[in-house]
Amino acid sequence: MKIAVLGYGTVGSGVVEVIKRNYDNIAKRAREEIDVKYVLDLREFPGDPVMDVLVHDFPTIVNDPEVKVIVEVMGGVEPAYTFVKEALLKGKSVCTSNKELVAKHGAELLEIARQLNVNFLFEASVGGGIPIIRPLNQSLTADEIEEITGILNGTTNYILSKMKDEGMEFEDALKEAQEKGYAEKNPAADVEGYDACRKIAILTSLAYGMQVQYEEIPTEGITKITATDIRYADALGGSIKLFGTSKKVQDKVYAYVAPKIIGHKHPLYSVNGVFNAILVRGNVLGDVMFYGSGAGKLPTASAVVSDVIDAAKHQNVNIMQLWSSKKLNLEATKTLKNQFFVRVAAKEKEKAEKLFDIAEFVTLGGQEDEFAFLTESMMEEDFEEAAKQLTVINSIRAEM
Ligand code: HSE
């Protein structure tokens, strides 16, 4: 089977490498040999064997009837969307790692694939190499999904781990993440939570079979977390992580991205560094957890190539994926219940005690002009109302 790869960046070169390295095993599983006929990129790569298959124009690829599967690993919505749509309409299956594309146009592209009896597959778009899309579509189908909560962004988890382990401030840890090549070109996509937002939008759309508009997901990143917050979390026996969460409570679905302090008994407590992990709660299965490399050349390529193999095994058969274009109306998070960690000016202790049901107080050496406390579980809107009456230095959701 001939395939084409759009984009010869980190993931694209990884896909070519994985297909070459595991050629025989892939052929066994796909029931035929898989060869890269074209790689599309605007650049030249002198000295790289990819030059033998490199092309600079998409029509050469999309009009070649021999090409059955197109791998889209360019990233960004355009021109990826135009290319992918045209490929599907021409009867080719598409495998992508592009979370922006999937979050925005997933429902439409899946519908085109269904109508044309081809496949639109996107295992690598969430959690990099971790299998999570296929489990949601094919393994956890007997359950009603009650909750998905994940550490979906490796860069922010790396930054938070560095801040915890080495007492670094956010800016210094970000600089180190950029030097190591973890943070993407625009750090805002990672540190402001936009990347995690697109990923939880995809998982929520798949879990409930409807389109979640990612623009409607309340999204908070980690830029306001300081080294002092991390020391307080330590003192409480907790750890701060950035979570993408969706929850179904009766018939209401909530989704949000926010940092949270979790206690050492939480299943995601030990997920550190660039690793990702996703906890899924089913109403009959209970909890199931997925852990692994959420980014990087070969782990991401591994997930993309697994989709190519699936596409090879399902030629002229559409793999059913439940995700219609019907809009899923998210419930406002103000009625969600959470614990809160709050830092307040020292003189307001009595006032805080009157306003909140407090689970625990915590003080830090060197921070005499303030104190912190952990609330019992309360509604977000009640928290906002009470917090307005105090001089809050910082507040973070918590699950201790
Ligand atoms: N910037 C992303 C991360 C890459 O840090 O997890 C994978 O989507």
CSV table of all heavy atoms in Angstrom, one decimal, residues 326-359:
chain,number,residue,atom,x,y,z
A,326,LYS,N,-23.8,17.6,15.8
A,326,LYS,CA,-24.7,18.2,16.8
A,326,LYS,C,-23.9,18.8,18.0
A,326,LYS,O,-23.0,18.2,18.5
A,326,LYS,CB,-25.6,17.1,17.3
A,326,LYS,CG,-26.8,17.7,18.1
A,326,LYS,CD,-27.9,16.6,18.3
A,326,LYS,CE,-28.9,17.2,19.3
A,326,LYS,NZ,-29.1,16.3,20.5
A,327,LYS,N,-24.2,20.1,18.3
A,327,LYS,CA,-23.4,20.8,19.3
A,327,LYS,C,-23.7,20.2,20.7
A,327,LYS,O,-24.9,20.1,21.1
A,327,LYS,CB,-23.7,22.3,19.2
A,327,LYS,CG,-22.9,23.1,20.1
A,327,LYS,CD,-23.1,24.6,19.9
A,327,LYS,CE,-22.3,25.3,20.9
A,327,LYS,NZ,-23.1,26.1,21.8
A,328,LEU,N,-22.7,20.0,21.5
A,328,LEU,CA,-22.9,19.6,22.9
A,328,LEU,C,-22.8,20.9,23.7
A,328,LEU,O,-21.8,21.6,23.7
A,328,LEU,CB,-21.7,18.7,23.3
A,328,LEU,CG,-22.0,17.8,24.5
A,328,LEU,CD1,-21.0,16.7,24.6
A,328,LEU,CD2,-21.9,18.6,25.8
A,329,ASN,N,-23.9,21.2,24.3
A,329,ASN,CA,-24.0,22.5,25.1
A,329,ASN,C,-23.3,22.2,26.5
A,329,ASN,O,-23.9,21.4,27.3
A,329,ASN,CB,-25.4,22.9,25.3
A,329,ASN,CG,-25.9,23.5,24.0
A,329,ASN,OD1,-25.2,24.3,23.3
A,329,ASN,ND2,-27.1,23.1,23.6
A,330,LEU,N,-22.2,22.8,26.8
A,330,LEU,CA,-21.5,22.6,28.0
A,330,LEU,C,-22.2,23.4,29.1
A,330,LEU,O,-22.7,24.5,28.9
A,330,LEU,CB,-20.1,23.0,27.9
A,330,LEU,CG,-19.2,22.2,27.0
A,330,LEU,CD1,-17.8,22.9,26.9
A,330,LEU,CD2,-19.1,20.8,27.5
A,331,GLU,N,-22.2,22.8,30.3
A,331,GLU,CA,-22.8,23.5,31.5
A,331,GLU,C,-21.8,24.5,32.1
A,331,GLU,O,-20.6,24.1,32.1
A,331,GLU,CB,-23.2,22.4,32.5
A,331,GLU,CG,-24.2,22.7,33.5
A,331,GLU,CD,-25.5,23.1,33.0
A,331,GLU,OE1,-25.9,22.6,31.9
A,331,GLU,OE2,-26.2,23.8,33.7
A,332,ALA,N,-22.2,25.6,32.5
A,332,ALA,CA,-21.3,26.6,33.1
A,332,ALA,C,-20.6,26.0,34.4
A,332,ALA,O,-21.3,25.3,35.2
A,332,ALA,CB,-22.0,27.8,33.5
A,333,THR,N,-19.3,26.2,34.6
A,333,THR,CA,-18.6,25.5,35.7
A,333,THR,C,-19.0,26.1,37.0
A,333,THR,O,-18.6,25.5,38.0
A,333,THR,CB,-17.1,25.6,35.4
A,333,THR,OG1,-16.7,26.9,35.2
A,333,THR,CG2,-16.6,24.7,34.3
A,334,LYS,N,-19.7,27.2,37.0
A,334,LYS,CA,-20.0,27.8,38.3
A,334,LYS,C,-20.8,26.9,39.3
A,334,LYS,O,-20.7,27.0,40.5
A,334,LYS,CB,-20.7,29.1,38.1
A,334,LYS,CG,-22.1,29.0,37.5
A,334,LYS,CD,-22.7,30.3,37.3
A,334,LYS,CE,-24.1,30.1,36.7
A,334,LYS,NZ,-24.8,31.3,36.2
A,335,THR,N,-21.5,25.9,38.7
A,335,THR,CA,-22.2,25.0,39.6
A,335,THR,C,-21.4,23.7,40.0
A,335,THR,O,-21.9,22.8,40.6
A,335,THR,CB,-23.6,24.6,39.0
A,335,THR,OG1,-23.3,24.0,37.7
A,335,THR,CG2,-24.5,25.8,38.9
A,336,LEU,N,-20.2,23.6,39.5
A,336,LEU,CA,-19.3,22.5,39.8
A,336,LEU,C,-18.8,22.6,41.2
A,336,LEU,O,-18.5,23.7,41.7
A,336,LEU,CB,-18.1,22.4,38.9
A,336,LEU,CG,-18.1,21.4,37.7
A,336,LEU,CD1,-16.8,21.5,37.1
A,336,LEU,CD2,-18.4,20.0,38.2
A,337,LYS,N,-18.6,21.5,41.9
A,337,LYS,CA,-18.0,21.5,43.2
A,337,LYS,C,-16.6,21.2,43.2
A,337,LYS,O,-16.1,20.3,42.5
A,337,LYS,CB,-18.8,20.5,44.1
A,337,LYS,CG,-20.1,21.1,44.6
A,337,LYS,CD,-20.7,20.2,45.6
A,337,LYS,CE,-21.5,20.9,46.6
A,337,LYS,NZ,-22.0,20.0,47.7
A,338,ASN,N,-15.8,21.9,44.0
A,338,ASN,CA,-14.3,21.7,44.1
A,338,ASN,C,-13.9,22.1,45.5
A,338,ASN,O,-14.6,22.9,46.1
A,338,ASN,CB,-13.6,22.6,43.1
A,338,ASN,CG,-13.3,21.9,41.8
A,338,ASN,OD1,-12.6,20.8,41.8
A,338,ASN,ND2,-13.7,22.4,40.7
A,339,GLN,N,-12.7,21.6,45.9
A,339,GLN,CA,-12.1,22.3,47.1
A,339,GLN,C,-11.3,23.4,46.5
A,339,GLN,O,-10.9,23.4,45.3
A,339,GLN,CB,-11.1,21.3,47.7
A,339,GLN,CG,-11.8,20.3,48.6
A,339,GLN,CD,-10.8,19.4,49.3
A,339,GLN,OE1,-10.2,18.5,48.7
A,339,GLN,NE2,-10.5,19.6,50.6
A,340,PHE,N,-10.9,24.4,47.3
A,340,PHE,CA,-10.0,25.5,46.9
A,340,PHE,C,-8.9,25.7,47.9
A,340,PHE,O,-9.1,25.6,49.1
A,340,PHE,CB,-10.8,26.8,46.7
A,340,PHE,CG,-11.8,26.7,45.6
A,340,PHE,CD1,-13.1,26.2,45.7
A,340,PHE,CD2,-11.4,27.2,44.3
A,340,PHE,CE1,-13.9,26.1,44.6
A,340,PHE,CE2,-12.3,27.1,43.2
A,340,PHE,CZ,-13.5,26.6,43.4
A,341,PHE,N,-7.7,25.9,47.3
A,341,PHE,CA,-6.6,26.4,48.1
A,341,PHE,C,-6.5,27.9,47.9
A,341,PHE,O,-6.6,28.4,46.8
A,341,PHE,CB,-5.3,25.7,47.6
A,341,PHE,CG,-4.1,26.4,47.9
A,341,PHE,CD1,-3.5,26.3,49.2
A,341,PHE,CD2,-3.4,27.3,47.0
A,341,PHE,CE1,-2.3,27.0,49.5
A,341,PHE,CE2,-2.3,28.0,47.3
A,341,PHE,CZ,-1.7,27.8,48.6
A,342,VAL,N,-6.4,28.6,49.1
A,342,VAL,CA,-6.5,30.1,49.0
A,342,VAL,C,-5.4,30.7,49.8
A,342,VAL,O,-5.2,30.3,51.0
A,342,VAL,CB,-7.8,30.6,49.5
A,342,VAL,CG1,-8.1,32.0,49.0
A,342,VAL,CG2,-9.0,29.7,49.2
A,343,ARG,N,-4.7,31.7,49.2
A,343,ARG,CA,-3.7,32.5,50.0
A,343,ARG,C,-4.2,33.9,50.2
A,343,ARG,O,-4.7,34.5,49.3
A,343,ARG,CB,-2.4,32.6,49.1
A,343,ARG,CG,-1.5,31.4,49.1
A,343,ARG,CD,-0.4,31.5,48.1
A,343,ARG,NE,0.5,32.6,48.4
A,343,ARG,CZ,1.4,33.1,47.6
A,343,ARG,NH1,1.5,32.5,46.4
A,343,ARG,NH2,2.2,34.0,47.9
A,344,VAL,N,-4.2,34.3,51.5
A,344,VAL,CA,-4.8,35.5,51.9
A,344,VAL,C,-3.9,36.3,52.8
A,344,VAL,O,-3.1,35.8,53.5
A,344,VAL,CB,-6.2,35.2,52.7
A,344,VAL,CG1,-6.9,36.4,53.1
A,344,VAL,CG2,-7.1,34.3,51.9
A,345,ALA,N,-4.1,37.7,52.9
A,345,ALA,CA,-3.3,38.5,53.8
A,345,ALA,C,-3.6,38.1,55.2
A,345,ALA,O,-4.7,37.8,55.6
A,345,ALA,CB,-3.8,40.0,53.6
A,346,ALA,N,-2.5,38.1,56.0
A,346,ALA,CA,-2.5,37.6,57.4
A,346,ALA,C,-3.6,38.2,58.2
A,346,ALA,O,-4.2,37.4,59.0
A,346,ALA,CB,-1.1,37.8,58.0
A,347,LYS,N,-3.9,39.5,58.1
A,347,LYS,CA,-4.9,40.1,58.9
A,347,LYS,C,-6.3,39.6,58.7
A,347,LYS,O,-7.2,40.0,59.5
A,347,LYS,CB,-4.8,41.6,58.8
A,347,LYS,CG,-5.0,42.1,57.4
A,347,LYS,CD,-4.9,43.7,57.3
A,347,LYS,CE,-5.3,44.3,56.0
A,347,LYS,NZ,-4.6,44.0,54.8
A,348,GLU,N,-6.5,38.8,57.7
A,348,GLU,CA,-7.9,38.5,57.3
A,348,GLU,C,-8.3,37.1,57.8
A,348,GLU,O,-9.3,36.5,57.3
A,348,GLU,CB,-8.1,38.6,55.8
A,348,GLU,CG,-8.0,40.1,55.4
A,348,GLU,CD,-8.4,40.3,54.0
A,348,GLU,OE1,-8.1,39.4,53.1
A,348,GLU,OE2,-8.9,41.4,53.6
A,349,LYS,N,-7.6,36.5,58.8
A,349,LYS,CA,-7.8,35.1,59.2
A,349,LYS,C,-9.2,34.9,59.7
A,349,LYS,O,-9.9,34.0,59.3
A,349,LYS,CB,-6.8,34.7,60.2
A,349,LYS,CG,-6.7,33.2,60.4
A,349,LYS,CD,-5.5,32.7,61.0
A,349,LYS,CE,-5.6,31.2,61.2
A,349,LYS,NZ,-4.6,30.6,62.1
A,350,GLU,N,-9.6,35.8,60.6
A,350,GLU,CA,-11.0,35.7,61.2
A,350,GLU,C,-12.1,35.8,60.2
A,350,GLU,O,-13.0,35.0,60.2
A,350,GLU,CB,-11.2,36.8,62.3
A,350,GLU,CG,-10.9,36.3,63.7
A,350,GLU,CD,-11.1,37.5,64.7
A,350,GLU,OE1,-12.1,38.2,64.6
A,350,GLU,OE2,-10.2,37.6,65.5
A,351,LYS,N,-11.9,36.7,59.3
A,351,LYS,CA,-12.8,36.9,58.2
A,351,LYS,C,-13.0,35.7,57.4
A,351,LYS,O,-14.1,35.2,57.0
A,351,LYS,CB,-12.4,38.1,57.3
A,351,LYS,CG,-13.5,38.9,56.7
A,351,LYS,CD,-12.9,40.2,56.2
A,351,LYS,CE,-13.7,40.8,55.0
A,351,LYS,NZ,-13.0,41.8,54.3
A,352,ALA,N,-11.8,35.1,57.0
A,352,ALA,CA,-11.8,33.9,56.2
A,352,ALA,C,-12.5,32.7,56.9
A,352,ALA,O,-13.3,32.0,56.3
A,352,ALA,CB,-10.4,33.4,55.9
A,353,GLU,N,-12.3,32.6,58.2
A,353,GLU,CA,-13.0,31.6,59.0
A,353,GLU,C,-14.5,31.7,59.0
A,353,GLU,O,-15.3,30.7,59.0
A,353,GLU,CB,-12.5,31.6,60.5
A,353,GLU,CG,-11.2,30.8,60.6
A,353,GLU,CD,-10.6,30.9,62.0
A,353,GLU,OE1,-10.6,32.0,62.6
A,353,GLU,OE2,-10.1,29.9,62.5
A,354,LYS,N,-15.0,33.0,58.9
A,354,LYS,CA,-16.4,33.2,58.9
A,354,LYS,C,-17.0,32.9,57.5
A,354,LYS,O,-18.1,32.4,57.4
A,354,LYS,CB,-16.7,34.7,59.2
A,354,LYS,CG,-16.7,34.9,60.7
A,354,LYS,CD,-17.3,36.3,61.0
A,354,LYS,CE,-17.0,36.7,62.4
A,354,LYS,NZ,-16.2,38.0,62.5
A,355,LEU,N,-16.2,33.2,56.5
A,355,LEU,CA,-16.7,33.0,55.1
A,355,LEU,C,-16.6,31.6,54.6
A,355,LEU,O,-17.4,31.2,53.7
A,355,LEU,CB,-15.8,33.9,54.2
A,355,LEU,CG,-16.1,35.4,54.2
A,355,LEU,CD1,-15.0,36.2,53.6
A,355,LEU,CD2,-17.4,35.8,53.5
A,356,PHE,N,-15.7,30.8,55.0
A,356,PHE,CA,-15.4,29.5,54.4
A,356,PHE,C,-15.5,28.4,55.4
A,356,PHE,O,-15.2,28.6,56.6
A,356,PHE,CB,-14.0,29.5,53.8
A,356,PHE,CG,-13.9,30.3,52.6
A,356,PHE,CD1,-13.4,31.6,52.6
A,356,PHE,CD2,-14.3,29.9,51.3
A,356,PHE,CE1,-13.3,32.4,51.5
A,356,PHE,CE2,-14.2,30.6,50.2
A,356,PHE,CZ,-13.7,31.9,50.3
A,357,ASP,N,-15.9,27.2,55.0
A,357,ASP,CA,-15.8,26.0,55.7
A,357,ASP,C,-14.4,25.5,55.5
A,357,ASP,O,-14.1,25.0,54.4
A,357,ASP,CB,-16.9,25.0,55.1
A,357,ASP,CG,-17.1,23.9,56.1
A,357,ASP,OD1,-16.5,23.8,57.1
A,357,ASP,OD2,-18.0,23.0,55.7
A,358,ILE,N,-13.5,25.6,56.4
A,358,ILE,CA,-12.1,25.4,56.2
A,358,ILE,C,-11.6,24.0,56.6
A,358,ILE,O,-11.9,23.6,57.7
A,358,ILE,CB,-11.2,26.5,56.8
A,358,ILE,CG1,-11.5,27.8,56.1
A,358,ILE,CG2,-9.7,26.2,56.8
A,358,ILE,CD1,-10.9,29.0,56.7
A,359,ALA,N,-11.0,23.3,55.7
A,359,ALA,CA,-10.5,21.9,56.0
A,359,ALA,C,-9.2,21.9,56.7
A,359,ALA,O,-8.9,21.1,57.5
A,359,ALA,CB,-10.4,21.1,54.7
